[in-house]
Amino acid sequence: MPACGAEQDSGLARVRRTGELRWGADAQGGEPYAMEDPDAPGGMRGFEVELAEALARELGVKARFVQNDWSNLIPSLERGGFDVALNGMEVTPARSGRILFTRPYYVFNLRLLARQDDAAVTGMAALRGQRVGTLANSLAWDLLQRSGVEAVPYEGVEEPYIDLEQGRVRAVLMDDIIAQRYGQVRPGLRLVGDVGEGYYAIAVRQGDEDLREALDAALGRIAHSGELRAIFQRWGIDSAAQQRMVDWTDAQTREVLSNTHTARMGWGQLVLFLQAAVVTLLVSAGAMVLAIPLGVGLALTRLYGPGWAGRLATAYVELFRGTPVLLQLYVLYYGLAGVLRLEPLSAAILGLGLNYAAYEAEVYRAGVLAVPRGQLEAAMALGMPLKLALRRVIMPQAFRVALPGVTNDFIALLKDSSLVSVISVVELTKRMTITAVDVRSWLIPGALCALLYLAMSYPLSRLARRLEARLERG
Amino acid sequence: MIEVEKLSKRYDGRLVLDGIDATFAPGEMTALVGPSGGGKSTLLRCLNGLESFDAGVVRVGSDTLAPGDVRAQGEKVRSIRRRVGFVFQQWHLFAHRTALGNVTEAPMHVKGVGRKEALERGRELLEKVGLSHREDAYPSELSGGEQQRVAIARALAMEPEVLLLDEPTSALDPERVGGLIDVLEQLRSEGLTLVSVTHEMRFAQELASRVLVLYGGRIIEEGPPDRVLASPHHERTRAFLGLGRVAALRTMGA
């Protein structure tokens, strides 16, 4: 059976048997690492693409790219989604303690950028207590955690610099390759300085020691032959410092990888989880408070408003229901940043609120339609104007019908609120992801995260059921 | 006092009201009778603007309803509705409000009567229709007869000059009809104008001071119940009442 065979194979044997070196990376990481080739749809380009191909050639196999969300490259590697993770994977103590690293293939600097008009930012020391953006679980993230600043996690490389320009973070700390291409090109930003150094290496699963050794040897060969720096030169990322990659020794590898530490779940983590749960609750409740009146307005406009207004309300519902909420959050927070500068939390509440209003509108519309026609007629016959009849007679009854749907939506919203991590809000799910990578386990953070979600949603559904029972009488 | 002049209404190209002229005076109880589709319910609904019409005029005191969309007539139609109460065949009590809540709703929110006064008046009205002990009950907890009496109290709470009733006996057990007649008799003696659509001849006979027979959107006969119901002039009335040549007509129709 192939499955059993695969399990018994060592890493190198598996790669040789399948004739493929499957390397995981995130095409969203973009230029110059690994990205889709605009000239050859489905193809990839980037210095890491060339590196992967050179290494595969050295191993006598073909390189095959596997797309994976960057922040989950390590867990996916461990699950066996691919043979190696090769995507600007920085050597950090947390990662060194969890997976195997090859010798480094690139040395980079951690580069700090601030706004041109913000001369007060002179270095890390000047940023105590300030918001500083970076990629979550990166080397820069580790450094920020230790330096007394408020680290703001991002999932892409453009977004932190957009936020820096908008003044939503005070500075951004990123690898120099990223800073140079995505940050320093923005006229409003300036280089503060390089505050540290790190290495990119290839991550290999524990137990695949032979694959790591083969890759180390292959890296050594292409470094000595000059191919490695030729690749860097082609991508404009070569520097004198890269000569160290050519002269690299095994002793240096051991030294770089010797610094391992394993974070553990502790009281500190628990406090962070509770804080994140409060953010989740705040975002969800805030969005719902916005969505309910807006939804009622939309539903009533569709049912009773003049034709043009009804069509407008219908268009709103279709637009917000028919496009991904993730896209809406991006547009609201980054797309409209030039005209509407929202703080992450307000943008999260507004974005989810506007989106859920579309769903609420439909729930209430169904509720109103479920109220017998005679109720409105009876109210009108008593001389009530339409608005009064809707407020006093129709909506209270419609709400009773709509309540289970509204509860359902609120619980869905509690979970959907995890999407706001794309606009740098650290809510419960994001906290869980960050911690899980730190402590090398998804089990405990995952269970704690699930427990906290349940602790929020279960009382809510109980409350709703009691309310339903109370309304049932009338 | 309601006056109706040359009232006409088309529905799907069919003339459902065809030049109705009628006056409904205070202290008078008018029974609208006639076969289904004759226009009696439509006429009743036109009297408080629940239904729009195409020609003619409806006058309630100084307020006048004109042909065309009633919704466009805003305050005028609401003013008429406040003065003309309507008791629906299926009552349509507000399902989310108690009996007392149903009765106080419109005075408080339409007329702006204070809560205390509205509750006081509401309790009086429930007592009047014999439902003091049920004021906290929701409509789903009330019998048909009780719901109807709450519906009457709800309409009366607006202190209307006119009370319109659509088939008030149709959902009542026969032994309940007597109670309804007592309540309405008292209202008439207080000077209310009562108009009721009915197919119950005993009800018309006992309560009405006048019967209007509608057929094909016209009033084909009118007069005191004793005369109209016992010896109708019009052939159609006789047929409707099942008198005289019904058998012959049936044979001919077949």
Side-chain angles (χ1 to χ4, degrees), chain A residues 304 367-401 474, chain B residues 45 50 81 86 88-98 101-103 105-106 110 138-140 147 150-151 154:
Chain A
Y304 301 106
V368 170
L369 291 175
V371 176
R373 169 106 197 113
Q375 295 285 310
L376 183 62
E377 205 160 58
M380 303 294 254
L382 287 163
M384 288 193 189
L386 179 65
K387 272 185 190 160
L388 182 67
L390 292 177
R391 184 161 60 81
R392 297 289 314 172
V393 177
I394 305 303
M395 288 319 288
Q397 296 187 59
F399 182 69
R400 192 169 62 181
V401 179
Chain B
R45 291 167 60 84
L50 280 177
R81 284 171 178 164
F86 200 105
F88 294 88
Q89 187 174 5
Q90 295 300 326
W91 320 300
H92 300 327
L93 291 184
F94 302 140
H96 62 306
R97 308 281 274 132
T98 60
N102 265 275
V103 179
E105 184 69 34
V110 178
Y138 283 91
S140 58
Q147 290 191 59
V150 173
R154 176 174 71 175

Side-chain angles (χ1 to χ4, degrees), chain A residues 119-135:
Chain A
V121 180
T122 51
M124 288 306 295
L127 287 166
R128 282 202 156 273
Q130 301 287 316
R131 288 164 58 83
V132 180
T134 192
L135 293 172

Side-chain angles (χ1 to χ4, degrees), chain A residues 277 280-281 411 414-415 428 446-462:
Chain A
T280 290
L281 200 59
I411 291 172
L414 270 176
K415 293 171 293 166
L428 193 47
L448 183 57
C449 176
L451 198 71
L452 284 169
Y453 273 115
L454 272 176
M456 292 186 276
S457 64
Y458 184 66
L460 190 74
S461 58
R462 282 301 296 265

Side-chain angles (χ1 to χ4, degrees), chain A residues 105-423:
Chain A
Y105 59 85
Y106 191 82
V107 54
F108 65 89
N109 287 305
L110 289 176
R111 186 161 288 180
L112 191 65
L113 263 61
R115 274 187 307 283
Q116 287 286 7
D117 57 10
D118 187 7
V121 180
T122 51
M124 288 306 295
L127 287 166
R128 282 202 156 273
Q130 301 287 316
R131 288 164 58 83
V132 180
T134 192
L135 293 172
N137 299 116
S138 62
L139 187 67
W141 173 259
D142 283 358
L143 190 139
L144 291 179
Q145 296 287 336
R146 293 194 307 269
S147 34
V149 305
E150 186 191 336
V152 181
Y154 288 87
E155 285 165 16
V157 292
E158 293 268 16
E159 294 89 339
Y161 293 112
I162 295 175
D163 269 10
L164 179 56
E165 276 185 334
Q166 294 297 324
R168 292 189 282 217
V169 292
R170 192 74 190 271
V172 170
L173 186 69
M174 293 272 230
D175 301 358
D176 53 5
I177 293 185
I178 297 172
Q180 197 183 353
R181 295 187 182 231
Y182 297 94
Q184 288 168 268
V185 294
R186 292 174 183 268
L189 304 183
R190 72 183 166 88
L191 172 68
V192 178
D194 289 339
V195 300
E197 192 183 73
Y199 303 98
Y200 292 152
I202 302 166
V204 181
R205 198 156 42 247
Q206 298 271 11
D208 281 358
E209 279 78 3
D210 60 344
L211 179 60
R212 176 179 61 174
E213 276 161 33
L215 287 168
D216 271 347
L219 267 172
R221 284 197 296 275
I222 62 170
H224 279 116
S225 73
E227 186 177 0
L228 186 63
R229 287 193 67 177
I231 292 173
F232 294 159
Q233 273 155 17
R234 270 200 294 284
W235 288 93
I237 56 171
D238 194 36
S239 63
Q242 305 310 328
Q243 185 55 35
R244 280 155 59 193
M245 298 298 100
V246 178
D247 306 327
W248 197 262
T249 64
D250 287 351
Q252 281 175 294
T253 305
R254 278 193 297 278
E255 198 206 316
V256 165
L257 297 180
S258 66
N259 181 10
T260 66
H261 87 268
T262 310
R264 288 232 174 85
M265 287 294 290
W267 289 113
Q269 292 284 3
L270 191 63
V271 170
L272 288 174
F273 267 73
L274 289 173
Q275 279 173 354
V278 169
V279 172
T280 290
L281 200 59
L282 188 71
V283 168
S284 310
M288 208 61 188
V289 164
L290 198 67
I292 287 175
L294 191 56
V296 168
L298 285 166
L300 293 181
T301 307
R302 279 187 84 173
L303 287 165
Y304 301 106
W308 62 268
R311 280 191 293 278
L312 218 60
T314 307
Y316 179 99
V317 170
E318 294 304 337
L319 178 70
F320 277 85
R321 210 174 45 163
T323 58
V325 62
L326 207 58
L327 174 71
Q328 293 161 22
L329 285 169
Y330 261 112
V331 170
L332 183 69
Y333 187 73
Y334 297 113
L336 299 179
V339 284
L340 183 71
R341 214 184 82 187
L342 293 163
E343 295 308 308
L345 202 61
S346 345
I349 291 173
L350 186 63
L352 288 175
L354 292 176
N355 179 264
Y356 266 73
Y359 291 94
E360 292 318 284
E362 288 303 275
V363 173
Y364 291 118
R365 200 167 66 93
V368 170
L369 291 175
V371 176
R373 169 106 197 113
Q375 295 285 310
L376 183 62
E377 205 160 58
M380 303 294 254
L382 287 163
M384 288 193 189
L386 179 65
K387 272 185 190 160
L388 182 67
L390 292 177
R391 184 161 60 81
R392 297 289 314 172
V393 177
I394 305 303
M395 288 319 288
Q397 296 187 59
F399 182 69
R400 192 169 62 181
V401 179
L403 188 59
V406 174
T407 313
N408 207 34
D409 280 350
F410 193 15
I411 291 172
L413 177 57
L414 270 176
K415 293 171 293 166
D416 271 3
S417 67
S418 64
L419 293 171
V420 304
S421 63
V422 299
I423 56 172

